[in-house]
Amino acid sequence: MSKIEIIETKERIVADNDLEAEKVRQKMKEKNVFLVNLMASPGAGKTTTLVRTIHALQDTYRIGVMEADVDHDIDARHVAQTGAKVIQLHTGGSCHMDADMTHRGLDRLGVDDLDVVFLENVGNLVCPAEFDVGAAKKVMILSVPEGDDKPLKYPLMFQVSDVLLVNKIDTKEVFDFDIERLKNHVKVLNSTMPIFELSALHGDGFDTWIAWLKSEIEKWRNA
Amino acid sequence: MSKIEIIETKERIVADNDLEAEKVRQKMKEKNVFLVNLMASPGAGKTTTLVRTIHALQDTYRIGVMEADVDHDIDARHVAQTGAKVIQLHTGGSCHMDADMTHRGLDRLGVDDLDVVFLENVGNLVCPAEFDVGAAKKVMILSVPEGDDKPLKYPLMFQVSDVLLVNKIDTKEVFDFDIERLKNHVKVLNSTMPIFELSALHGDGFDTWIAWLKSEIEKWRNA
């Protein structure tokens, strides 16, 4: 397996994160690179979802990945097995990525040979929601074992996301998870957000999510 | 159901969190109140564990609870049904409690008629680990669906905690969760930390955890 580059992207105080995010967004637009900000709780299945998504996209697009973690690089090593171009970002204890850290990460990754870049954010439902990193799309994963009440407790994450993937859907019965209750909670916060039910481990429901993602990438490229 | 008091405990910049935490710890010692800092990911089962723990303790001790959340008060309303004295703390977007916020919460809760107070921290494996709130014991919950690799990714939480509850243990088979692998990861970070396997929903393994907790409360009261 190729060695993973580890970048220390400690948080700097940046005057205006939104301004920096806009710079990232424009730069990626110029380079025709579709940046995805992938956010979820620890253990929701971000990496498994990402690996399966890369496999589904990599015949069509050249894929890059930035794995943001407080520590370690197990996810990056796992993702690198797909053949995608991967770097590991260490946030120096910070519980989220911001636009400046993302910008520096993208510069180190190098995007000239890429079409789509996934930023796997730190596992957390609070802080990552507060920081626009300049992505074209924000993808949130909620896993069934976390419960259908999570929109009530972490509303901002559901408000800012562009799509919600409900992962580990095959365990719905085990956890008495009511998908309709979840959808009703989400509707109040983000009435138009698409919600896809899937199992990243087994592949159920993946086709619909991948079709949506491909269509969003194409819309964005042609805009 | 009684109305839940909601306190806005926005984070203030406090020069020295550790100093403030020591103040909280001394004050609680003087008042003979055993403060527990309960930490976990969103959806790991903090509230369910707390409710069952309160039921097991409330014949012996007078229980208070501070529910810390970014938003909402569903957990506080749920916990209040036990008859415990409960207040809701809103952290104003902050992803953790600090010692100053805890101190103000305890003052508002009022502890003169209490023996044990549980602080249910914000659902998060990163930030709460970094802030000593002045508790007598730090209790961490990891739920089986989050995976047995979490100590590698969130080491600090495992390092600072005094006890680890592995919740939703009845779903071990569903998630291919290897408890021995988890224990080996934990041992490197915190070699003496007790690990209890339990199901907060069904009650499996609860007796051992409660016996440990009662013994710790008594040791602390007699110290």
Side-chain angles (χ1 to χ4, degrees):
Chain A
M1 195 190 320
S2 59
K3 200 173 169 315
I4 304 291
E5 190 180 7
I6 299 182
I7 320 290
E8 304 292 332
T9 50
K10 289 201 183 7
E11 195 173 3
R12 299 191 298 204
I13 301 303
V14 170
D16 191 334
N17 184 69
D18 288 346
L19 194 73
E20 186 66 26
E22 223 31 72
K23 276 190 207 163
V24 171
R25 203 160 4 246
Q26 276 181 26
K27 190 167 173 181
M28 290 306 105
K29 189 66 196 143
E30 281 160 22
K31 290 182 176 282
N32 211 25
V33 172
F34 187 85
L35 177 64
V36 176
N37 181 6
L38 185 60
M39 300 180 286
S41 286
K46 285 187 298 302
T47 308
T48 312
T49 302
L50 184 53
V51 165
R52 194 176 279 272
T53 300
I54 292 170
H55 283 305
L57 293 182
Q58 65 191 164
D59 286 348
T60 319
Y61 306 109
R62 298 165 299 169
I63 314 274
V65 174
M66 299 192 294
E67 282 289 330
D69 279 296
V70 175
D71 205 338
H72 222 277
D73 66 344
I74 43 169
D75 287 348
R77 282 187 279 131
H78 187 173
V79 173
Q81 291 173 12
T82 62
K85 186 179 182 186
V86 179
I87 60 170
Q88 174 74 50
L89 309 176
H90 278 172
T91 62
S94 175
C95 56
H96 63 91
M97 289 290 289
D98 65 20
D100 172 59
M101 293 152 85
T102 304
H103 202 157
R104 286 181 282 150
L106 288 164
D107 285 348
R108 285 298 288 272
L109 177 67
V111 299
D112 289 342
D113 55 350
L114 297 175
D115 302 308
V116 178
V117 173
F118 292 94
L119 167 65
E120 186 180 328
N121 217 313
V122 181
N124 192 317
L125 288 188
V126 182
C127 327
E130 296 166 16
F131 289 84
D132 184 1
V133 301
K137 289 289 170 194
K138 299 190 197 77
V139 177
M140 175 189 178
I141 304 176
L142 176 76
S143 65
V144 163
E146 295 172 71
D148 51 36
D149 63 342
K150 287 298 157 290
L152 297 175
K153 303 188 58 191
Y154 305 94
L156 187 63
M157 181 61 84
F158 292 84
Q159 273 161 357
V160 303
S161 295
D162 296 302
V163 59
L164 174 62
L165 308 183
V166 184
N167 191 23
K168 308 186 189 179
I169 199 69
D170 52 309
T171 68
K172 215 162 48 174
E173 310 303 321
V174 181
F175 291 100
D176 192 22
F177 182 95
D178 186 338
I179 186 81
E180 291 311 318
R181 195 157 50 205
L182 174 77
K183 285 179 177 172
N184 288 335
H185 290 325
V186 171
K187 205 171 281 170
V188 179
L189 299 165
N190 193 337
S191 62
T192 59
M193 176 163 68
I195 300 176
F196 299 116
E197 302 166 42
L198 50 81
S199 161
L201 195 60
H202 305 295
D204 322 354
F206 239 73
D207 290 351
T208 321
W209 145 243
I210 295 297
W212 180 87
L213 180 59
K214 281 187 171 174
S215 129
E216 291 298 319
I217 295 171
E218 289 311 311
K219 266 196 268 175
W220 179 87
R221 288 164 77 104
N222 298 321
Chain B
M1 196 188 317
S2 59
K3 200 175 168 317
I4 304 290
E5 190 181 5
I6 299 182
I7 320 290
E8 303 293 332
T9 49
K10 289 200 182 8
E11 195 175 1
R12 300 191 297 203
I13 302 301
V14 170
D16 189 335
N17 184 70
D18 288 346
L19 194 72
E20 187 65 26
E22 224 30 72
K23 276 189 208 164
V24 171
R25 205 161 0 246
Q26 276 181 26
K27 191 168 171 180
M28 290 306 106
K29 189 65 195 144
E30 281 159 23
K31 290 181 177 283
N32 210 26
V33 172
F34 187 86
L35 177 63
V36 176
N37 181 6
L38 185 61
M39 300 180 286
S41 286
K46 284 188 296 306
T47 308
T48 311
T49 303
L50 184 53
V51 165
R52 193 176 280 272
T53 300
I54 291 170
H55 282 307
L57 293 182
Q58 65 191 167
D59 285 348
T60 319
Y61 305 109
R62 296 165 301 170
I63 313 276
V65 174
M66 300 193 293
E67 281 290 330
D69 279 295
V70 176
D71 205 338
H72 222 278
D73 65 343
I74 42 168
D75 287 348
R77 282 187 279 130
H78 188 172
V79 172
Q81 290 174 12
T82 61
K85 188 178 182 187
V86 178
I87 61 170
Q88 174 74 51
L89 309 176
H90 279 173
T91 62
S94 174
C95 56
H96 64 92
M97 290 289 291
D98 64 19
D100 173 59
M101 293 153 85
T102 303
H103 202 158
R104 286 181 284 151
L106 288 165
D107 285 349
R108 285 299 288 273
L109 177 67
V111 298
D112 289 341
D113 55 351
L114 297 175
D115 302 308
V116 178
V117 172
F118 292 94
L119 167 66
E120 186 179 329
N121 217 315
V122 182
N124 192 318
L125 287 189
V126 183
C127 328
E130 296 166 15
F131 289 84
D132 184 1
V133 300
K137 288 288 168 195
K138 299 192 198 75
V139 177
M140 175 189 178
I141 303 175
L142 176 76
S143 65
V144 163
E146 294 171 72
D148 51 36
D149 63 343
K150 287 300 156 288
L152 297 175
K153 303 188 59 191
Y154 305 94
L156 188 62
M157 182 61 86
F158 292 85
Q159 273 161 356
V160 302
S161 295
D162 296 302
V163 59
L164 174 61
L165 308 183
V166 184
N167 191 21
K168 308 187 190 179
I169 199 70
D170 52 311
T171 68
K172 214 162 51 174
E173 310 303 320
V174 181
F175 290 99
D176 192 22
F177 183 96
D178 186 338
I179 186 80
E180 292 309 318
R181 195 157 52 207
L182 174 77
K183 286 179 178 174
N184 287 335
H185 291 325
V186 171
K187 205 170 283 172
V188 178
L189 300 166
N190 193 336
S191 60
T192 60
M193 177 163 66
I195 300 176
F196 299 117
E197 303 167 43
L198 49 82
S199 161
L201 195 60
H202 304 297
D204 323 353
F206 238 73
D207 290 351
T208 321
W209 146 242
I210 295 298
W212 180 88
L213 181 58
K214 281 187 172 174
S215 129
E216 291 298 318
I217 295 171
E218 289 311 311
K219 265 197 267 176
W220 179 88
R221 288 164 77 105
N222 298 321

